[in-house]
Amino acid sequence: QVQLVESGGGLVQAGGSLRLSCAASGRSFSNTPTGWFRQAPGKEREFVAAIVWSSTDYADSVKDRFTISRENAKNMVYLQMNSLRPEDTAVYYCAADRTFYTWNRLRGDSHDYWGQGTQVTVSS
C-alpha cells in the first residue's frame, strides 16, 4: 500500500504564499496520478488540482494562482499556492490512484489513497 503525508500548511495573510508537500511511501510514486483537495469548515471536500504524467488540471477557483508539480526523485508532489485569499482557508488533502482511470475520477471524491490533511488558514 501507499501512505501519503501532507505538510507545509500554516497561517498566512491574504496575498501571501504557501507550498504544500505530499510525501509518498510504500512503492514508487513516479507518475502516480495525484490530486489535491480541500475541505472548509461546514463544507464538502472539493477538488483543487491534479497531475498525471506531465498533464495538470485545476479548479476554476485556483487556476492561475496555484501550481501542482512533481519531483519524482523524492517521491513528492507539491502545491504552490500564491495570491492566497481567505476563501482558500481549508484542510488540504492529497490523494492518489494506483493507475490512471479517468480525469473525472481524479477530480472526484473516490481515490485509492488519501493523506491525513494539513491546515491552511488565510487571514484578512
Side-chain angles (χ1 to χ4, degrees):
Q1 294 186 342
V2 171
Q3 287 77 47
L4 304 176
V5 179
E6 303 94 334
S7 62
L11 174 63
V12 299
Q13 293 190 100
S17 298
L18 284 174
R19 188 180 73 166
L20 305 184
S21 300
C22 177
S25 63
R27 70 177 186 91
S28 176
F29 202 56
S30 298
N31 295 318
T32 299
T34 305
W36 284 97
F37 301 80
R38 66 187 183 187
Q39 187 168 24
K43 297 185 178 180
E44 295 186 3
R45 187 168 56 206
E46 65 176 340
F47 168 77
V48 176
I51 185 168
V52 54
W53 297 289
S54 61
S55 298
T56 59
D57 189 45
Y58 300 91
D60 288 342
S61 60
V62 307
K63 193 175 181 64
D64 299 323
R65 297 190 298 121
F66 293 9
T67 302
I68 187 170
S69 62
R70 180 188 302 276
E71 193 168 0
N72 284 327
K74 296 182 178 180
N75 281 348
M76 299 282 283
V77 173
Y78 304 102
L79 184 68
Q80 178 67 47
M81 306 185 295
N82 298 326
S83 301
L84 283 163
R85 306 165 180 169
E87 307 91 85
D88 297 318
T89 295
V91 176
Y92 283 70
Y93 302 88
C94 65
D97 293 325
R98 295 180 64 188
T99 187
F100 180 70
Y101 301 102
T102 66
W103 276 109
N104 283 340
R105 176 184 167 93
L106 195 55
R107 300 184 191 100
D109 294 329
S110 181
H111 300 284
D112 296 324
Y113 312 105
W114 285 96
Q116 85 290 343
T118 185
Q119 177 71 48
V120 172
T121 303
V122 184
S123 64
S124 300

